[in-house]
């Protein structure tokens, strides 16, 4: 995994390089995980839309 290109910010934060975690992980699993993460607000959070909708609600 040391051959992966890291941005300076990811490197400073000690983030794991993006991409395939190991050689045994299939392309389908990598794509499935990427698609799921694009919709989530964070590793432990709900869908991003749910978070956004929370801030769009009118108080009253």
């Amino acid at each position: 995994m040391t051959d992966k290109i890291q941005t300076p910010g990811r490197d400073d934060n000690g983030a794991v390089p993006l991409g395939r975690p190991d050689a045994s992980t299939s392309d389908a699993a990598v794509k499935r995980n990427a698609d799921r993460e694009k919709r989530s607000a964070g590793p432990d959070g709900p869908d991003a839309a749910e978070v956004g909708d929370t801030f769009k609600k009118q108080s009253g």
Side-chain angles (χ1 to χ4, degrees):
M1 292 196 356
T2 58
D3 61 336
K4 303 282 185 184
I5 297 173
Q6 285 279 72
T7 62
R10 288 183 60 81
D11 195 40
D12 290 348
N13 290 326
V16 175
L18 299 173
R20 187 181 307 272
D22 58 58
S24 66
T25 305
S26 69
D27 288 340
V30 171
K31 182 172 177 4
R32 185 175 53 247
N33 188 48
D35 290 342
R36 182 174 53 242
E37 289 304 315
K38 287 178 187 175
R39 293 187 309 265
S40 76
D44 300 323
D47 283 345
E50 184 177 335
V51 173
D53 291 344
T54 299
F55 292 103
K56 293 177 190 174
K57 291 181 182 173
Q58 298 286 331
S59 63

